Amino acid sequence: MKIRIKLFAAARELSDTGEIGLEVADGILVKDMKQQISNAYPSMSELILRSAVSLNREFATDQSVVQENDEIALIPPVSGG
Amino acid sequence: MKIRIKLFAAARELSDTGEIGLEVADGILVKDMKQQISNAYPSMSELILRSAVSLNREFATDQSVVQENDEIALIPPVSGG
Amino acid sequence: MIFITTKAIDTSKVLESVKSKQAGASVLFVGTTRQFTGEKETVQLEYECYEAMAVEKIQQLVDSVQSKWNIEHCSVVHRIGVVGLGESSIAVAVSSGHRQESFEAAAWLVDELKIQVPIWKKEFWADGKTEWVHPSGTPKPTSQDLNSAHGGS
Amino acid sequence: MIFITTKAIDTSKVLESVKSKQAGASVLFVGTTRQFTGEKETVQLEYECYEAMAVEKIQQLVDSVQSKWNIEHCSVVHRIGVVGLGESSIAVAVSSGHRQESFEAAAWLVDELKIQVPIWKKEFWADGKTEWVHPSGTPKPTSQDLNSAHGGS
């Protein structure tokens, strides 16, 4: 399936884009999706190790299943406030 | 010696005055001064038991010595804020 | 900024007074007249103070805050006289490099102010009765008091 | 009141938004751009956020505050974009019947916001370098997240 992943902060700057598209296996787990992003964008690989993923604006676990049409984002360690 | 004692809040209302004068022994202790105020103003006696005394704008102990020209006040339990 | 006033407190000025480029955090506490205490309804409060001593005691508390925590600035304003429902009787502002200091210092200062500073609150209840609020504890001399007996700075 | 803005935060409006006759206490926390972090000098900060998720996460934190403490109102405003020295990036206000709840709830909310809400800060150092601040911890799903997975309310 085709997914789109929002990127923010350092991830956005390292990839030079606010959103990337990726072709992934149906029912892919978050941890495998992260690995696939790392492979496609090596400049982000170190940051991805320290980043979370959100699905539909909630934090997911490594074992969460990514579904088609999910709103997906890579969430580097946050620093608001 | 002759002393003057400032009264506030319920003490002021119970005695109907903001300051009282009292003739006391030289070098009187705070606890004895409190007793003497109680005797002279029985309406305040219950409140005096729960009140502190300040000498020159600092809290005194029962054993503190009252000196002539001290700025003396009876301090009922406070409730600022 | 430390003062006692009969006028309405401008809480934004109190907050402004602790601003600093060295501060990453400011905490402002505002105490206001609450309508209900359990079932009992308040229509207004009236505060009275022993002003000369109150200002000195507040200054001592601010000095203590400065020595206990790494803070930038600390301001305390207390209103006396009648304070209507929802109006502010006290504003305390603290600024510091990091937020924990400001939170701790502001909370500590308000706690201590309610124990050590000669200010008294009179409740005007909705049933027409009035009552000076005299908590059960007696104000106690602190070690600071004992050290500076007859000091009065 | 919960919102994210690119404009300067009017902290007095944030405080005003939690006022209530049922509240005896209000606590306002303001986070500002600090000039020095140790020896390093900041000239400005820039904040970025994932706005849809940030607003939802802040709302969840406010809901948690309402369920954990007996408070009246809670407001959170976060500024994004460039925030100059001494300017405010965040204002959190909480009101409650008694002061302890407001202090605890405000401190907790700021702590959690810094862990759970997708907002990022970029330092602009005086030496011309810039740096996204990415604390060492990875944002972790909370039990709330797990319960409401794919919820997104």
Side-chain angles (χ1 to χ4, degrees), chain B residues 6 8-10 12-13 47 50-52 54 56-61 70-71 73 75-81, chain C residues 47-48 50 53 56-57 60 78 89-90 114-117 119-122 132-135 137-139 145 150:
Chain B
K6 295 178 191 290
F8 297 96
R12 179 179 55 71
E13 290 191 349
L47 182 62
R50 300 192 292 122
S51 296
S54 67
N56 302 313
R57 302 178 297 285
E58 292 289 349
F59 289 111
T61 67
D70 273 355
E71 180 178 320
I75 312 285
V78 302
S79 50
Chain C
Y47 287 89
E48 174 172 337
Y50 176 10
M53 181 172 170
E56 287 183 14
K57 296 307 280 182
Q60 288 171 9
H78 203 299
S89 53
I90 184 174
K114 286 171 176 274
I115 297 169
Q116 294 196 36
V117 177
I119 300 176
W120 299 271
K121 175 165 64 179
K122 188 179 194 172
W132 283 102
V133 178
H134 289 314
T138 305
D145 288 315
H150 292 89

Side-chain angles (χ1 to χ4, degrees), chain B:
Chain B
M1 63 188 180
K2 176 94 180 157
I3 57 174
R4 302 198 64 77
I5 299 149
K6 295 178 191 290
L7 302 177
F8 297 96
R12 179 179 55 71
E13 290 191 349
L14 288 166
S15 65
D16 211 21
T17 179
E19 191 170 271
I20 55 174
L22 215 60
E23 183 67 37
V24 298
D26 283 8
I28 193 170
L29 298 184
V30 161
K31 72 176 159 78
D32 298 324
M33 179 191 73
K34 285 170 82 173
Q35 185 58 55
Q36 206 171 321
I37 304 171
S38 257
N39 296 344
Y41 297 85
S43 63
M44 287 198 285
S45 60
E46 190 276 331
L47 182 62
I48 288 171
L49 289 176
R50 300 192 292 122
S51 296
V53 164
S54 67
L55 299 177
N56 302 313
R57 302 178 297 285
E58 292 289 349
F59 289 111
T61 67
D62 274 353
Q63 299 301 321
S64 298
V65 175
V66 180
Q67 295 174 345
E68 201 161 12
N69 301 321
D70 273 355
E71 180 178 320
I72 309 167
L74 188 70
I75 312 285
V78 302
S79 50

Side-chain angles (χ1 to χ4, degrees), chain D residues 116-144:
Chain D
Q116 294 197 36
V117 176
I119 299 176
W120 299 271
K121 175 164 66 179
K122 188 180 194 173
E123 286 272 6
F124 287 72
W125 300 109
D127 63 8
K129 293 191 178 130
T130 64
E131 180 184 352
W132 283 102
V133 179
H134 288 315
S136 51
T138 306
K140 284 283 192 314
T142 60
S143 56
Q144 192 168 30

Side-chain angles (χ1 to χ4, degrees), chain C residues 120-133:
Chain C
W120 299 271
K121 175 165 64 179
K122 188 179 194 172
E123 285 273 5
F124 288 72
W125 299 110
D127 63 9
K129 294 192 177 129
T130 64
E131 179 185 351
W132 283 102
V133 178

Side-chain angles (χ1 to χ4, degrees), chain D:
Chain D
M1 175 195 286
I2 294 175
F3 65 89
I4 288 171
T5 176
T6 57
K7 303 216 180 80
I9 299 175
D10 184 338
T11 54
S12 52
K13 278 199 183 151
V14 181
L15 181 61
E16 189 69 27
S17 74
V18 301
K19 286 244 160 139
S20 158
K21 285 182 182 171
Q22 310 317 321
S26 308
V27 168
L28 172 67
F29 168 81
V30 180
T32 47
T33 302
R34 190 179 56 233
Q35 188 169 18
F36 288 97
T37 300
E39 300 274 288
K40 296 184 82 176
E41 184 177 355
T42 297
V43 292
Q44 66 180 37
L45 296 175
E46 188 175 344
Y47 287 88
E48 174 172 338
C49 84
Y50 176 9
E51 185 162 347
M53 181 172 169
V55 169
E56 287 184 14
K57 296 307 281 181
I58 293 172
Q59 182 64 59
Q60 289 172 7
L61 291 178
V62 168
D63 292 347
S64 292
V65 160
Q66 300 271 10
S67 68
K68 280 172 196 277
W69 287 278
N70 186 14
I71 67 163
E72 292 296 324
H73 300 295
C74 179
S75 288
V76 179
V77 177
H78 204 299
R79 185 175 175 187
I80 56 169
V82 171
V83 181
L85 282 190
E87 294 184 353
S88 307
S89 53
I90 183 173
V92 170
V94 180
S95 62
S96 54
H98 299 276
R99 68 191 181 284
Q100 197 184 343
E101 286 90 339
S102 282
F103 273 116
E104 286 183 7
W108 181 87
L109 200 153
V110 178
D111 285 350
E112 290 296 314
L113 182 140
K114 286 172 176 275
I115 297 170
Q116 294 197 36
V117 176
I119 299 176
W120 299 271
K121 175 164 66 179
K122 188 180 194 173
E123 286 272 6
F124 287 72
W125 300 109
D127 63 8
K129 293 191 178 130
T130 64
E131 180 184 352
W132 283 102
V133 179
H134 288 315
S136 51
T138 306
K140 284 283 192 314
T142 60
S143 56
Q144 192 168 30
D145 287 315
L146 299 175
N147 292 338
S148 63
H150 292 88
S153 70

